[in-house]
Amino acid sequence: MAHLTLLQLNDLHGYLEPHPELVRTGGGWRFERLGGLARIASIFAKARVESEGAVLTLDNGDTFHGTHVALESKGEALVPLMNALKIDAMTAHWEFAYGPAGFARLAAQLDYPVLAANVFRKSDGAPAFEGRRVFDRGGLKVGVVGLACPIVDKTMPPSFSEGLRFEIGVEECRDHVAALRSDEGVDLVVVLSHLGFPQDVQLANDVAGIDVIHSGHTHNRMHEPVVVNGAIIFQSGCHGAFVGRLDLDVEAGRIVSHRHQLIPVDDGWPEDPEMAALVENAMAPHRDRLSEVVGRTTRPLHRYAMPSAPMDDVLLDAIAAAAEVEIAFSNGWRYGAPVAPGPVTLNDLYNNIPMNPPVSRVDLTGAEIHELLEDNLERTFAADPYAQMGGYIKRCRGLTVFVKLENPKGERVDRLFVGDEPVDPERVYPCAFVTTQGVPRRYGTGRRDLQIDAITALRRWLSRNVVGDGLRPPSVIVV
């Protein structure tokens, strides 16, 4: 009988050091200080010793984007650190924020391949990346198929996908699995996916012959894997706060038993000295600036809730004030480490809106606001998992939206108000937003960027307000 250990890092989002995280308890939440690549290096090293080298280490992507250090270097500050982790393969999502050419330059510096069987060049239809790779571990031939996030050319800024076409990847995955089984004679097939957990469950149902799916994108902290159509599916949170480990016993090309751990990256793990030095080298030029205190909060700020989130309440208040409007929109982003009550630093701001876009204004009719919200709710809660293309519900301010999530497409907004007045479909409402994910280009008139960016707007608002004073009710209410 052969043994194989799979290690998973998903949705790191550029977090190099320990940071505050919210962990669920029976009574709600508590803060813990988790993460850090120096601790993760120790977790990986211990697993490699325990498994006598029969280890495959896979990264689901959303790795080189999400913090100021990552964005300022276009991901390159993380390259030596990720190479030092001895990753075997990755797939991608926010890495495309640097444009396909920028991501290609980044990928060329890695010691491991980017696998993305579902991304194609528009010019000739050819695959833009390697789709699969075979690894020899512990006497086993393990085939890995990569699937990048398919929404890059559908919901994200056009520059992210210039010249590329993204598919959900079902047919491509099926073809690669068949080739691995019939042509390459592998013992196991692993799918390295950034589709999202609901999509991966559907993929397992649609594609036979998958043994394991390393799931990413939706930031699920899965304490136990699920088994669907013979495929073991697991996912391990975000920000490097947890590492996933799956130990397999394999006989005659079949998994006969498995053991899973969701490993908290806490202070029980020693810091690997070499990785700690690499992290310090990357962080040192930025520490003084990012540690600047820019405000205070009396309540936890986070994005770990579906209908509304305190972190985005602050962002929306700031951009509405900068644009001198009442209504504001941002995207339902999932990433961004939470902020504990106390001082708010510049680093906290960059963690939650690292791209620092300009604050923008647009005039929307009431009918457009209604359509925009319905479209977002469908992308978030579509009955077909492959049609789910959002993060969480779109964040908004200045509106009160009552929604019925169980309703069919186009019928989820139950009532929509501005103040105490129902939204008038014909009336034009001036609105603020950040990024085209906040308000897609097909909506509104008079769209324009203001001469103020999101970080400056946040700093200005925080200099005048303590977060938590005068709390307002949530804008989106599920009924």
Side-chain angles (χ1 to χ4, degrees):
M1 184 178 297
H3 306 277
L4 178 70
T5 296
L6 296 173
L7 296 174
Q8 180 186 46
L9 184 64
N10 64 265
D11 298 87
L12 179 69
H13 284 293
Y15 283 71
L16 308 186
E17 297 185 297
H19 58 273
E21 278 289 350
L22 283 168
V23 178
R24 288 191 184 278
T25 69
W29 299 94
R30 72 170 181 268
F31 273 96
E32 293 186 7
R33 194 163 183 81
L34 300 177
L37 290 185
R39 295 173 179 174
I40 291 171
S42 293
I43 294 172
F44 285 3
K46 184 173 186 288
R48 287 167 181 145
V49 170
E50 291 174 345
S51 300
E52 299 179 344
V55 174
L56 196 60
T57 306
L58 301 175
D59 175 12
N60 285 79
D62 270 359
T63 302
F64 294 91
H65 183 285
T67 59
H68 179 69
V69 173
L71 267 290
E72 191 271 341
S73 67
K74 296 185 177 179
E76 293 192 7
L78 277 73
V79 168
L81 292 83
M82 300 309 296
N83 282 338
L85 282 179
K86 300 177 183 176
I87 302 292
D88 288 302
M90 72 171 291
T91 192
H93 176 205
W94 271 98
E95 287 76 13
F96 288 100
Y98 307 121
F103 181 29
R105 288 191 295 273
L106 185 65
Q109 301 174 58
L110 300 175
D111 294 340
Y112 50 91
V114 175
L115 303 180
N118 57 333
V119 185
F120 302 90
R121 295 196 301 260
K122 288 182 179 179
S123 59
D124 58 7
F129 297 89
E130 187 177 351
R132 68 178 187 265
R133 180 72 67 93
V134 177
F135 300 89
D136 293 312
R137 294 289 190 277
L140 297 169
K141 290 182 69 176
V142 184
V144 179
V145 180
L147 296 175
C149 189
I151 69 172
V152 176
D153 62 343
K154 301 170 184 66
T155 69
M156 306 186 83
S159 63
F160 288 25
S161 58
E162 187 175 1
L164 297 179
R165 171 174 56 86
F166 291 72
E167 300 294 342
I168 195 72
V170 176
E171 293 303 322
E172 293 80 8
C173 185
R174 186 177 288 124
D175 291 344
H176 281 287
V177 171
L180 287 168
R181 294 289 188 191
S182 61
D183 300 339
E184 308 210 37
V186 301
D187 298 291
L188 294 174
V189 173
V190 177
V191 174
L192 176 59
S193 166
H194 203 97
L195 302 186
F197 178 67
Q199 294 84 347
D200 289 328
V201 169
Q202 188 63 49
L203 181 75
N205 277 309
D206 291 344
V207 179
I210 300 172
D211 293 297
V212 177
I213 298 179
H214 274 238
S215 180
H217 181 53
T218 43
H219 296 192
N220 294 64
R221 296 176 185 173
M222 294 181 64
H223 292 269
E224 298 292 339
V226 299
V227 181
V228 178
N229 195 22
I232 303 168
I233 307 173
F234 70 113
Q235 194 178 132
S236 309
C238 62
H239 304 147
F242 296 86
V243 163
R245 175 171 173 168
L246 185 68
D247 290 284
L248 306 174
D249 297 323
V250 182
E251 190 168 22
R254 187 173 67 88
I255 297 172
V256 295
S257 66
H258 68 269
R259 298 165 301 284
H260 170 264
Q261 299 176 64
L262 180 67
I263 303 170
V265 185
D266 57 24
D267 59 10
W269 293 97
E271 291 197 343
D272 175 84
E274 291 185 13
M275 181 62 76
L278 290 172
V279 169
E280 180 59 27
N281 184 61
M283 291 298 302
H286 308 279
R287 284 198 192 282
D288 288 346
R289 178 167 180 259
L290 294 179
S291 62
E292 179 190 352
V293 174
V294 296
R296 293 192 62 82
T297 179
T298 62
R299 61 184 302 209
L301 302 180
H302 64 85
R303 285 178 170 153
Y304 290 178
M306 177 63 76
S308 62
M311 176 55 71
D312 287 282
D313 288 345
V314 175
L315 173 62
L316 293 167
D317 281 347
I319 66 173
E324 299 180 326
V325 298
E326 290 298 317
I327 301 173
F329 297 97
S330 68
N331 189 49
W333 292 301
R334 279 184 284 255
Y335 63 73
V339 182
V344 178
T345 67
L346 185 60
N347 188 56
D348 294 325
L349 304 187
Y350 274 110
N351 284 347
N352 283 278
I353 190 155
M355 66 289 285
N356 192 21
V359 177
S360 303
R361 277 192 60 159
V362 66
D363 295 323
L364 298 172
T365 66
E368 286 179 311
I369 293 173
H370 188 282
E371 182 183 346
L372 179 150
L373 294 171
E374 286 282 10
D375 179 66
N376 172 253
L377 290 167
E378 172 62 15
R379 287 174 180 265
T380 308
F381 299 107
D384 176 4
Y386 296 148
Q388 294 178 14
M389 292 185 284
Y392 293 146
I393 292 175
K394 184 179 297 295
R395 312 308 190 187
C396 53
R397 177 200 189 277
L399 303 170
T400 303
V401 191
F402 294 90
V403 301
K404 290 184 174 291
L405 301 182
E406 73 275 18
N407 281 8
K409 178 180 179 180
E411 301 294 336
R412 292 189 175 95
V413 175
D414 183 67
R415 297 296 302 278
L416 177 58
F417 294 88
V418 172
D420 291 328
E421 297 296 321
V423 166
D424 181 349
E426 304 297 326
R427 181 178 168 184
V428 175
Y429 297 88
C431 303
F433 68 98
V434 281
T435 85
T436 56
Q437 290 182 289
V439 177
R441 293 186 183 280
R442 65 182 178 277
Y443 295 111
T445 58
R447 177 183 293 257
R448 60 200 183 277
D449 294 339
L450 304 183
Q451 296 301 309
I452 183 172
D453 57 52
I455 297 291
T456 302
L458 280 162
R459 291 181 62 129
R460 183 181 296 175
W461 190 89
L462 286 164
S463 71
R464 302 168 180 167
N465 299 273
V466 174
V467 182
D469 291 353
L471 291 178
R472 53 185 170 80
S475 294
V476 179
I477 301 169
V478 179
V479 295

